Amino acid sequence: MRKAKDLVSREADRLGSVQGHRDGFGFVIPDDGGEDIFLSEREMSRVMHGDRVNVRVLGTDRRGRPEGQIVEVVLHANKVVIGRLLNENGVLIVAPEDNRIGHDILIPPKGQGQAKLGQVVSVEIIDYPDSYRQAVGRVVEVLGEIDDPGMEIEIAVRKYGVPHEFSAAAMKEAAALPDSVQQEDLEGRVDLRDIPLVTIDGADARDFDDAVYCEPIMYGKTKAWRLIVGIADVSHYVKPGHPLDDEGLLRATSVYFPRRVIPMLPEKISNGLCSLNPGVDRLCMVCDSVVDNNGIVLAYQFYPAVMHSAQRFTYDTVWEILSNSKGPEAVRFAQFSPLLGNLYSLYKILLAAREKRGAIEFETTETQIISNELGKILRIEPRLRNDAHRLIEECMLTANVCAADFIDKNKHLSLYRVHGEPSEEKLVTLRQVLRTSGLSLGGGEKPKPRDFAKLMREIKDRPDANMLQSVVLRSMQQAMYQPDNEGHFGLAYPAYSHFTSPIRRYPDLLTHRVIKSILQKKPYAPVLPASVPLNLTLPRKGKGRENAVNAKKSHSDAKAGAAKGAKTPKGANAALPIWGQLGVHCSSNERRADEASRDVEAWLKCYYMRDHLGQEYAGTVTSVANFGLFIQLENLFVEGMVHVTELGGDYFQYDEARQELRGERTGIRYRLGDRLHVLVSRVDLDARKIEFSLVKSMGAEAGGVSSRRQLLLATDTGRPNKKAASKKSRPASKVPQKPSGINVNAAKSAGNLNANQSKSKAGRKNGKSKPGRSVGKPAGSKPPVRSTNARRK
């Protein structure tokens, strides 16, 4: 193999982004959407996760994957890396927290600033690695000790590149906004302040972006329900081309962590001026609809309005009122009982229509982490859902469907929320698993949502329902944003948009702008600001990957055209590429937010389980792989892995169709849904992994897992903590500090150390681990509802 320095770029070379793996190897994700190209550990020594590179395919590896060689690094993605400052053999290094980065960062003399050994720091890279030298950097920010409250969030936002500080221009614009609705804001708006709209949210919610009202009416000679859904009018304050809009586009979504939220917009807007707080006037966009007793939307209209929230309810309070009409909460809120009763009656109608439509219903168990004021985890418990949650969900679904239908009928470009049907490969795997459980999926080669809904009803009362639901869920594609309407498979809607959360989702803000433009009979075409980098990351497979490839191409073509002074194209479809890029950007940032949230939750669970090392628990097999079993502990709601080497002195064959491991000699089988008795043997904070050992109490019989002795489970009692989450998850004294006056003179000379000198990271993982932790009414009057053709969803 020729050395990299001898390579000369040629036309066959491919451009792509590097994706590192925690085991040292990596892949190049080609911009053209082709098959991922494998990079050996040797090649990965020259690049870092996220780098843009030109790669040359030299052949295939032993697994048949195309294997490549780096021709050149086009763009270094990592300017700053977060990690812990360590001393290894007298040399200061920073070991990155992101395991996809396989390089320790060498810190030269005077480069550590005020940081102390073991602290979490941000390092600016001043010399990038190659085949013969390792990366060199200097400490630019000291985050604190790994055990500090909220440190896991500080790490996650930097690890995943989540913007967490608003620009000075955005904060200045937000500060200049008024604290309340002004008289001039009411022009052209419908006055709904005499209608008792209410908000229903979680106990710890701080931003209220939706309010609801329902009453029975006669629509002609038909008995029906009028449903008013008022949504915060963020678009009135956040204007295209302004700093606030740039900031919202950059983030595209709020990110929710335990005890902390990274908002899409500053708190002045998200928790204040746009939040539908009780007892104050607020601007809103309204979906005013009429629904008959069969759950069919007979008519709807959209209009800007001003409202006055009559009451802020929590889900638990509403459910107590609905479930006990003579209880203390019902007596306390007696004036709202008719309204809540109307909403509940409509919910039952919409639920029946949902079932008739064939929408797929997943009842998976979500967990919440309950912590004390210092951030120490007290317990992990399931997040209980009741009909109050579902009631609001159905109201929001109705508004979102009306928004999509309104945009579609007016033939205006926008972003739809699209959920594609399962791929053929995933359907084959799903049917194989179902067959082993005595179940089947109807619909032939192209099953419809109602076929899945029927399957979910059959699964619901089975003891292995949770396991089977997770299998069905894994067969589904991921929902995404795109300008082409292809329907929503899971909800069984022909068209679906996001309209109801503009405070925390940028696609909803775009939907509001489109609806307003239609009402004003003016087209709306978004403009991409040059100062906002788009996140056009390619997903691994599926339609999302195809969308990202097209978005990358159109984005690069537009930049090239602008550089050459080409005129901006005009016409009905000229904005289509921009909408496509916005859809990929918003979808990618949504995935990034989910990854960051899961990372923090996994870290917290690992930190919590360190106090449970050596303890035994009952658990259920939730997933089977060729290398082991994934077990979720009962009562603790924590998942870990039993490695195949812990299953005994047999050779276990992995059967993907049956989702089981079977011993060749003993015939012992471990399958999805099996209950096992395990011991917490190891917790790896760096990898966010928990490892179990199988407790062989009475042994397992051939053909299946036998019954085991009575288990002594750790108690995990307590009611849900209804206290609102603190705004800050760490004391003021622990706020990250940026050192000043760092002098780095020896960087280049120190960088000549052999790149393998600090590869003792593997040694740390195998023994020496990193330090661990843890009132006027001039605005108008209520308009009549315009009729539309009734359409079954």
Side-chain angles (χ1 to χ4, degrees):
M1 184 179 293
R2 291 185 298 169
K3 294 183 178 179
K5 65 181 181 181
D6 297 327
L7 289 177
V8 178
S9 296
R10 62 188 185 194
E11 193 172 338
D13 296 339
R14 299 167 71 183
L15 183 66
S17 300
V18 174
Q19 186 174 73
H21 191 277
R22 60 193 323 272
D23 290 336
F25 59 86
F27 296 90
V28 172
I29 316 299
D31 287 354
D32 59 15
E35 189 176 357
D36 294 350
I37 302 167
F38 176 77
L39 294 179
S40 66
E41 193 168 348
R42 175 186 175 88
E43 289 298 310
M44 284 297 296
S45 68
R46 304 177 51 216
V47 294
M48 302 177 77
H49 171 77
D51 285 353
R52 299 273 295 158
V53 299
N54 268 324
V55 64
R56 180 169 303 164
V57 177
L58 300 178
T60 57
D61 67 355
R62 58 186 179 183
R63 295 178 58 180
R65 300 173 296 191
E67 184 171 6
Q69 185 175 13
I70 303 296
V71 177
E72 65 174 332
V73 179
V74 178
L75 178 67
H76 291 289
N78 300 278
K79 309 300 181 186
V80 176
V81 172
I82 187 170
R84 272 173 278 183
L85 184 65
L86 304 175
N87 185 327
E88 292 202 345
N89 300 322
V91 177
L92 287 181
I93 65 166
V94 167
E97 281 293 322
D98 191 342
N99 287 315
R100 297 170 298 182
I101 299 177
H103 301 266
D104 291 330
I105 314 299
L106 178 68
I107 306 299
K110 299 182 181 179
Q112 76 178 92
Q114 303 300 315
K116 300 176 183 178
L117 290 179
Q119 286 187 319
V120 180
V121 298
S122 289
V123 177
E124 179 187 8
I125 299 180
I126 56 179
D127 199 9
Y128 287 91
D130 58 27
S131 299
Y132 310 101
R133 294 188 306 173
Q134 71 182 101
V136 178
R138 60 179 179 181
V139 176
V140 294
E141 185 180 23
V142 180
L143 298 179
E145 304 295 336
I146 195 69
D147 285 314
D148 288 348
M151 179 57 69
E152 67 284 350
I153 298 175
E154 298 292 342
I155 291 172
V157 295
R158 292 163 175 82
K159 175 178 175 180
Y160 290 95
V162 176
H164 58 284
E165 293 179 348
F166 289 103
S167 66
M171 293 303 293
K172 182 179 179 180
E173 185 181 3
L177 291 172
D179 294 322
S180 60
V181 173
Q182 305 298 298
Q183 186 65 33
E184 58 266 25
D185 296 330
L186 306 184
E187 184 179 352
R189 292 182 178 271
V190 177
D191 196 334
L192 299 183
R193 288 176 289 190
D194 60 335
I195 295 182
L197 286 135
V198 299
T199 62
I200 306 175
D201 295 276
D204 57 352
R206 293 184 175 276
D207 53 346
F208 313 125
D209 48 13
D210 56 81
V212 292
Y213 172 83
C214 182
E215 63 180 357
I217 63 170
M218 291 298 296
Y219 185 72
K221 296 182 179 181
T222 304
K223 290 184 178 180
W225 301 87
R226 183 188 186 191
L227 173 64
I228 300 178
V229 177
I231 305 298
D233 191 359
V234 179
S235 64
H236 181 81
Y237 301 103
V238 180
K239 302 293 186 181
H242 287 222
L244 279 175
D245 186 54
D246 291 352
E247 199 71 39
L249 173 59
L250 176 65
R251 298 171 181 233
T253 181
S254 297
V255 187
Y256 292 85
F257 299 110
R259 304 183 72 247
R260 183 177 169 187
V261 176
I262 308 293
M264 184 180 80
L265 297 168
E267 286 192 8
K268 172 72 173 288
I269 296 174
S270 61
N271 293 3
L273 188 56
C274 287
S275 183
L276 305 181
N277 300 321
V280 293
D281 291 351
R282 287 291 184 258
L283 305 183
C284 61
M285 280 296 293
V286 173
C287 175
D288 197 337
S289 60
V290 174
V291 184
D292 70 8
N293 285 327
N294 293 316
I296 299 172
V297 178
L298 300 177
Y300 65 80
Q301 67 174 335
F302 290 89
Y303 52 85
V306 57
M307 60 163 284
H308 194 94
S309 175
Q311 182 64 44
R312 179 266 203 269
F313 282 112
T314 67
Y315 294 120
D316 291 338
T317 300
V318 170
W319 181 234
E320 288 181 32
I321 294 171
L322 294 174
S323 58
N324 185 1
S325 59
K326 296 183 180 180
E329 293 295 342
V331 173
R332 178 185 172 195
F333 296 106
Q335 67 185 102
F336 295 102
S337 291
L339 166 60
L340 296 177
N342 291 337
L343 284 167
Y344 196 43
S345 297
L346 177 59
Y347 156 69
K348 292 177 180 178
I349 291 171
L350 293 173
L351 180 63
R354 177 193 184 102
E355 294 174 351
K356 184 177 180 180
R357 191 174 70 243
I360 308 170
E361 183 74 25
F362 291 100
E363 287 291 342
T364 54
T365 302
E366 295 184 9
T367 58
Q368 56 184 341
I369 296 174
I370 308 300
S371 306
N372 61 17
E373 292 296 327
L374 298 178
K376 181 177 174 58
I377 303 174
L378 301 177
R379 62 188 179 276
I380 301 169
E381 60 186 26
R383 191 184 298 274
L384 302 177
R385 281 168 49 86
N386 53 49
D387 280 356
H389 292 83
R390 301 181 183 96
L391 180 156
I392 288 298
E393 285 177 2
E394 288 298 332
C395 291
M396 298 305 109
L397 287 174
T398 301
N400 286 335
V401 168
C402 290
D405 186 69
F406 184 67
I407 294 169
D408 186 51
K409 277 184 167 55
N410 285 277
K411 303 186 185 307
H412 198 294
L413 286 173
S414 184
L415 289 182
Y416 293 93
R417 182 67 168 178
V418 172
H419 182 232
E421 59 187 25
S423 65
E424 293 181 10
E425 296 83 1
K426 290 195 174 183
L427 282 176
V428 169
T429 302
L430 173 61
R431 285 196 161 103
Q432 289 174 337
V433 175
L434 293 174
R435 197 177 299 119
T436 62
S437 302
L439 295 167
S440 63
L441 173 66
E445 295 182 358
K446 293 284 187 181
K448 302 296 183 185
R450 61 172 53 90
D451 297 313
F452 280 90
K454 180 175 180 292
L455 173 63
M456 298 306 294
R457 289 194 294 272
E458 294 174 359
I459 289 173
K460 187 175 181 180
D461 296 326
R462 291 174 58 112
D464 55 354
N466 288 337
M467 177 273 295
L468 290 171
Q469 278 195 116
S470 66
V471 172
V472 176
L473 188 58
R474 284 197 293 268
S475 73
M476 295 288 169
Q477 292 195 43
Q478 191 170 33
M480 58 192 171
Y481 298 104
Q482 64 179 49
D484 298 322
N485 176 28
E486 297 178 357
H488 197 293
F489 185 82
L491 294 173
Y493 284 132
Y496 188 69
S497 289
H498 273 168
F499 164 78
T500 54
S501 297
I503 288 178
R504 61 184 179 90
R505 290 189 308 227
Y506 196 79
D508 301 56
L509 178 57
L510 291 172
T511 300
H512 279 230
R513 289 175 179 166
V514 170
I515 290 176
K516 279 187 175 182
S517 71
I518 294 173
L519 294 176
Q520 296 166 2
K521 298 184 176 3
K522 298 178 182 179
Y524 169 68
V527 176
L528 297 176
S531 60
V532 178
L534 294 183
N535 183 358
L536 304 180
T537 305
L538 269 65
R540 293 196 61 185
K541 58 181 69 175
K543 183 62 184 295
R545 190 177 179 103
E546 178 186 333
N547 288 349
V549 169
N550 294 333
K552 275 181 177 286
K553 186 177 185 307
S554 62
H555 188 58
S556 60
D557 289 349
K559 290 175 67 176
K564 294 178 181 178
K567 294 183 179 180
T568 304
K570 296 181 180 180
N573 294 322
L576 184 59
I578 295 178
W579 282 107
Q581 294 165 37
L582 285 170
V584 172
H585 172 76
C586 293
S587 300
S588 298
N589 280 7
E590 180 186 49
R591 288 195 302 271
R592 182 181 67 183
D594 290 341
E595 289 172 356
S597 298
R598 284 195 297 266
D599 186 81
V600 167
E601 188 169 327
W603 193 97
L604 288 171
K605 288 182 176 181
C606 287
Y607 190 67
Y608 175 66
M609 290 305 293
R610 292 199 312 174
D611 295 335
H612 299 263
L613 280 169
Q615 297 182 16
E616 299 177 7
Y617 298 95
T620 304
V621 179
T622 56
S623 183
V624 181
N626 59 357
F627 51 83
L629 309 169
F630 288 92
I631 314 288
Q632 184 177 72
L633 302 183
E634 297 174 3
N635 287 27
L636 289 187
F637 303 99
V638 170
E639 188 176 73
M641 188 187 73
V642 175
H643 196 268
V644 68
T645 56
E646 294 286 338
L647 298 179
D650 201 350
Y651 182 81
F652 285 84
Q653 291 278 5
Y654 171 57
D655 189 330
E656 184 178 9
R658 292 184 171 84
Q659 285 290 288
E660 71 175 20
L661 288 173
R662 182 184 182 93
E664 280 191 349
R665 179 173 52 83
T666 61
I668 294 176
R669 293 181 296 170
Y670 297 98
R671 296 171 293 187
L672 280 174
D674 284 346
R675 292 184 74 248
L676 302 176
H677 187 200
V678 297
L679 176 143
V680 183
S681 59
R682 184 171 180 267
V683 175
D684 187 344
L685 277 172
D686 296 329
R688 283 33 170 191
K689 286 186 176 181
I690 302 168
E691 295 182 9
F692 301 141
S693 296
L694 191 61
V695 177
K696 301 172 180 62
S697 52
M698 294 177 60
E701 299 175 354
V705 178
S706 71
S707 59
R708 287 170 167 78
R709 62 182 171 83
Q710 184 69 30
L711 306 180
L712 180 62
L713 300 178
T715 58
D716 186 28
T717 59
R719 291 178 57 80
N721 186 353
K722 296 185 180 180
K723 186 173 181 180
S726 172
K727 284 187 179 180
K728 298 181 179 179
S729 59
R730 60 204 319 233
S733 61
K734 296 295 186 179
V735 172
Q737 301 295 322
K738 295 185 178 180
S740 59
I742 296 175
N743 181 20
V744 186
N745 297 319
K748 296 294 181 181
S749 58
N752 289 324
L753 291 174
N754 190 294
N756 293 324
Q757 178 178 338
S758 292
K759 288 303 174 182
S760 52
K761 182 185 287 189
R764 288 196 300 273
K765 291 183 179 179
N766 295 330
K768 302 176 182 178
S769 61
K770 304 178 204 174
R773 70 151 264 178
S774 42
V775 182
K777 295 207 175 191
S781 59
K782 290 176 287 182
V785 181
R786 293 194 299 271
S787 175
T788 65
N789 293 328
R791 176 170 62 83
R792 292 184 181 272
K793 300 293 183 280

